[in-house]
Amino acid sequence: MASHGSANIWKRFAKGLRRFVLHPLGHFLLFIVFLYQVKEFYPFTHVPMYSDPEARAPYLYLADGEGAPLGVKSHSGITNPKMRKMYHSRMRSHCKEHRLDKHHPPQEALNQIGGEVVTFLRKYAIERGRPLPETLRLMHVLIEPAADGYTETVTLLYEDRPAP
Amino acid sequence: MIERLRKFLSHFHPRPVAAWELLIMRVLFALVVYKTLPNAGQIYDTQTSPNGIAHFVDLTFLAADGVYPALKIAMAAALAIYASGFLLPLVLPFILIAHVMIRTLFNSQGWIHHGVQMVSLVLLAQTLVVLTFLVYRLLKKRPFPLTGGRSMGSYFLFYSQMAIISIYVVSVVSKVDRSDGQWFAKSHYIGLHVVKAERDRYYGKLHDPPPGDVPAARIMLANPNLTRLFLGAGVLLELLAFLALYGRGAALAFSLSMIVFHRSIAALMSIYFHFNEMLLVIFLVNAPYWIVLIFRKSRAAPPPPAPATALDI
């Protein structure tokens, strides 16, 4: 008797599941689960931008040997956010590969990744006929909340100088 | 209660759609897809941070001499055929694969640009619909069963809308999960990102005035609850986006609200989602349908009464 009852429950469950899977909203929910599980695999994305707002927002900019800013997009065609994402993603991979603390990477890592990013930018700046100056600085700015709003702390991340 | 729920859910199905509506949508969407193709200078010959299929395939062949210009011409031809509505099972997979390859290479340089995924997802949805109809016909030796005035175009439109909406809904899942449920509590920190966006824009071209104070960011940081209210409205809109599949009216209401939200974010943070907005306009606002509907209703309405004359009085 009991087994007959449980068989009925399973039958009803299977019927309900089938109806859910065949219903367009079922397709929709399954696709949402799929997108979130896959994360970033073009064209699939879980849209992570601004999903975990932290009390710090870093950005980078490019400067010449005197510290004067340079328009990275005007020179290389690559926007400032793309330069920042490229730097951070390479740094993450480097730290993961060499088991380093990604929040406090050693100077060698800063030099290596900074050098790679600057080399990439120089290449496309030359292709566009807008070469970058020989001495280049990659500046890091950290925006943090403060009592009167926010503060911006500027540090030199990497300097690319011509060999003497 | 169950009956009401069943009735409510019965609305979430493909609806009849006119051939001319689909033609307009295909023409506009073809233009959008072409617009998302990068310039030749943005086809990089490296993929140092592979994304998507770049993990398995070396896509840098696209940067070889003459390959990308030829592919772009082939894409233009395929998009013209797509817009006409012919040979869809042939041209759609080609457009989808080419688009995914091109944009994947672009996203394999260490940055992930989130402005174009929706376009590829709509291409994917349309390809799946067209291929499902084709495979069904080949396997069952009869056409896909259609009822209630539906056509393949009904599914084509419905699943395109679903692809668009899924991006908004999954972004809410990310916000809840990645922030451990603390998104609303931390949302005022987006004020810091408003400053970052301002700086990013300036340091890209140095065209704007040099970076100064960002009052909007100060207001957001000083008024966390006000910020939560504003941003929370956007998140609620994203969460309820699936209701746009309820019907044409719901799709219009949602898409217009979403466009207003995108515009607000653009004004505040200089972050633009042009392609998302274009897809909302094409597949959810669907202005030609409403224009024709209003035109037909105005013509079908009884003529207004003639003005009173002296004799009537």
Side-chain angles (χ1 to χ4, degrees), chain B residues 9 49 54 58 75 117 120 166 195 241 248 267 276 286:
Chain B
L9 292 176
S49 306
D58 183 1
M75 279 284 275
Q117 276 91 344
S120 288
S166 65
V195 182
R248 288 179 184 270
N276 291 20
N286 188 11

PDB file of all heavy atoms in Angstrom, chain B residues 9 49 54 58 75 117 120 166 195 241 248 267 276 286:
ATOM      1  N   LEU B   9       0.642  31.593 -15.736  1.00  0.00           N
ATOM      2  CA  LEU B   9       1.777  30.957 -16.421  1.00  0.00           C
ATOM      3  C   LEU B   9       1.489  30.716 -17.902  1.00  0.00           C
ATOM      4  O   LEU B   9       2.421  30.675 -18.721  1.00  0.00           O
ATOM      5  CB  LEU B   9       2.147  29.635 -15.738  1.00  0.00           C
ATOM      6  CG  LEU B   9       2.751  29.750 -14.335  1.00  0.00           C
ATOM      7  CD1 LEU B   9       2.987  28.375 -13.736  1.00  0.00           C
ATOM      8  CD2 LEU B   9       4.061  30.535 -14.356  1.00  0.00           C
ATOM      9  N   SER B  49      45.102  35.925 -22.264  1.00  0.00           N
ATOM     10  CA  SER B  49      44.171  35.537 -21.201  1.00  0.00           C
ATOM     11  C   SER B  49      42.939  34.933 -21.866  1.00  0.00           C
ATOM     12  O   SER B  49      41.912  35.603 -22.004  1.00  0.00           O
ATOM     13  CB  SER B  49      43.769  36.755 -20.371  1.00  0.00           C
ATOM     14  OG  SER B  49      44.913  37.413 -19.897  1.00  0.00           O
ATOM     15  N   ALA B  54      38.457  30.259 -26.743  1.00  0.00           N
ATOM     16  CA  ALA B  54      39.898  30.515 -26.900  1.00  0.00           C
ATOM     17  C   ALA B  54      40.728  29.594 -25.998  1.00  0.00           C
ATOM     18  O   ALA B  54      41.936  29.449 -26.204  1.00  0.00           O
ATOM     19  CB  ALA B  54      40.215  31.973 -26.606  1.00  0.00           C
ATOM     20  N   ASP B  58      42.986  28.329 -31.050  1.00  0.00           N
ATOM     21  CA  ASP B  58      43.813  29.527 -31.211  1.00  0.00           C
ATOM     22  C   ASP B  58      43.113  30.441 -32.226  1.00  0.00           C
ATOM     23  O   ASP B  58      43.095  30.156 -33.421  1.00  0.00           O
ATOM     24  CB  ASP B  58      45.204  29.133 -31.694  1.00  0.00           C
ATOM     25  CG  ASP B  58      46.121  30.347 -31.813  1.00  0.00           C
ATOM     26  OD1 ASP B  58      45.663  31.467 -31.505  1.00  0.00           O
ATOM     27  OD2 ASP B  58      47.284  30.170 -32.227  1.00  0.00           O
ATOM     28  N   MET B  75      30.482  38.245 -43.401  1.00  0.00           N
ATOM     29  CA  MET B  75      29.467  38.529 -42.373  1.00  0.00           C
ATOM     30  C   MET B  75      28.412  39.482 -42.919  1.00  0.00           C
ATOM     31  O   MET B  75      27.211  39.304 -42.675  1.00  0.00           O
ATOM     32  CB  MET B  75      30.131  39.163 -41.139  1.00  0.00           C
ATOM     33  CG  MET B  75      30.793  38.186 -40.211  1.00  0.00           C
ATOM     34  SD  MET B  75      29.608  37.285 -39.199  1.00  0.00           S
ATOM     35  CE  MET B  75      29.361  38.409 -37.839  1.00  0.00           C
ATOM     36  N   GLN B 117      27.814  40.657 -25.181  1.00  0.00           N
ATOM     37  CA  GLN B 117      27.358  39.277 -24.937  1.00  0.00           C
ATOM     38  C   GLN B 117      25.893  39.093 -25.311  1.00  0.00           C
ATOM     39  O   GLN B 117      25.506  38.058 -25.857  1.00  0.00           O
ATOM     40  CB  GLN B 117      27.531  38.900 -23.459  1.00  0.00           C
ATOM     41  CG  GLN B 117      28.904  38.408 -23.113  1.00  0.00           C
ATOM     42  CD  GLN B 117      29.793  39.530 -22.667  1.00  0.00           C
ATOM     43  OE1 GLN B 117      29.489  40.691 -22.894  1.00  0.00           O
ATOM     44  NE2 GLN B 117      30.908  39.214 -22.053  1.00  0.00           N
ATOM     45  N   SER B 120      25.352  38.307 -28.975  1.00  0.00           N
ATOM     46  CA  SER B 120      25.679  36.913 -29.309  1.00  0.00           C
ATOM     47  C   SER B 120      24.636  35.953 -28.747  1.00  0.00           C
ATOM     48  O   SER B 120      24.314  34.945 -29.377  1.00  0.00           O
ATOM     49  CB  SER B 120      27.055  36.533 -28.763  1.00  0.00           C
ATOM     50  OG  SER B 120      28.062  37.167 -29.494  1.00  0.00           O
ATOM     51  N   SER B 166      17.470  37.335 -19.742  1.00  0.00           N
ATOM     52  CA  SER B 166      18.300  36.481 -18.878  1.00  0.00           C
ATOM     53  C   SER B 166      19.520  37.232 -18.350  1.00  0.00           C
ATOM     54  O   SER B 166      19.949  37.004 -17.217  1.00  0.00           O
ATOM     55  CB  SER B 166      18.739  35.232 -19.643  1.00  0.00           C
ATOM     56  OG  SER B 166      19.577  35.593 -20.713  1.00  0.00           O
ATOM     57  N   VAL B 195      33.438  57.715  -9.176  1.00  0.00           N
ATOM     58  CA  VAL B 195      34.690  58.488  -9.302  1.00  0.00           C
ATOM     59  C   VAL B 195      35.620  57.774 -10.285  1.00  0.00           C
ATOM     60  O   VAL B 195      36.201  58.394 -11.188  1.00  0.00           O
ATOM     61  CB  VAL B 195      35.395  58.629  -7.927  1.00  0.00           C
ATOM     62  CG1 VAL B 195      36.660  59.459  -8.046  1.00  0.00           C
ATOM     63  CG2 VAL B 195      34.458  59.240  -6.903  1.00  0.00           C
ATOM     64  N   ALA B 241      12.443  41.291 -14.488  1.00  0.00           N
ATOM     65  CA  ALA B 241      12.537  41.401 -15.950  1.00  0.00           C
ATOM     66  C   ALA B 241      11.805  40.267 -16.659  1.00  0.00           C
ATOM     67  O   ALA B 241      11.276  40.455 -17.749  1.00  0.00           O
ATOM     68  CB  ALA B 241      13.996  41.422 -16.371  1.00  0.00           C
ATOM     69  N   ARG B 248       2.901  41.581 -24.854  1.00  0.00           N
ATOM     70  CA  ARG B 248       3.483  42.734 -25.548  1.00  0.00           C
ATOM     71  C   ARG B 248       3.500  43.987 -24.667  1.00  0.00           C
ATOM     72  O   ARG B 248       4.458  44.752 -24.682  1.00  0.00           O
ATOM     73  CB  ARG B 248       2.689  43.023 -26.822  1.00  0.00           C
ATOM     74  CG  ARG B 248       2.908  42.006 -27.936  1.00  0.00           C
ATOM     75  CD  ARG B 248       2.050  42.403 -29.127  1.00  0.00           C
ATOM     76  NE  ARG B 248       2.091  41.461 -30.218  1.00  0.00           N
ATOM     77  CZ  ARG B 248       2.977  41.508 -31.219  1.00  0.00           C
ATOM     78  NH1 ARG B 248       3.898  42.423 -31.234  1.00  0.00           N
ATOM     79  NH2 ARG B 248       2.916  40.619 -32.191  1.00  0.00           N
ATOM     80  N   ALA B 267      24.233  58.596 -17.269  1.00  0.00           N
ATOM     81  CA  ALA B 267      24.398  59.985 -16.819  1.00  0.00           C
ATOM     82  C   ALA B 267      25.245  60.041 -15.556  1.00  0.00           C
ATOM     83  O   ALA B 267      26.068  60.939 -15.383  1.00  0.00           O
ATOM     84  CB  ALA B 267      23.025  60.599 -16.559  1.00  0.00           C
ATOM     85  N   ASN B 276      22.742  46.831 -25.577  1.00  0.00           N
ATOM     86  CA  ASN B 276      21.615  46.317 -24.782  1.00  0.00           C
ATOM     87  C   ASN B 276      20.370  47.158 -25.057  1.00  0.00           C
ATOM     88  O   ASN B 276      19.271  46.625 -25.240  1.00  0.00           O
ATOM     89  CB  ASN B 276      21.939  46.378 -23.286  1.00  0.00           C
ATOM     90  CG  ASN B 276      23.022  45.399 -22.895  1.00  0.00           C
ATOM     91  OD1 ASN B 276      23.782  44.942 -23.742  1.00  0.00           O
ATOM     92  ND2 ASN B 276      23.103  45.077 -21.627  1.00  0.00           N
ATOM     93  N   ASN B 286       9.493  47.169 -29.702  1.00  0.00           N
ATOM     94  CA  ASN B 286       8.816  46.803 -30.952  1.00  0.00           C
ATOM     95  C   ASN B 286       7.853  47.917 -31.394  1.00  0.00           C
ATOM     96  O   ASN B 286       6.652  47.693 -31.588  1.00  0.00           O
ATOM     97  CB  ASN B 286       8.076  45.463 -30.762  1.00  0.00           C
ATOM     98  CG  ASN B 286       7.515  44.924 -32.062  1.00  0.00           C
ATOM     99  OD1 ASN B 286       7.826  45.422 -33.142  1.00  0.00           O
ATOM    100  ND2 ASN B 286       6.673  43.908 -31.960  1.00  0.00           N
TER     101      ASN B 286
END
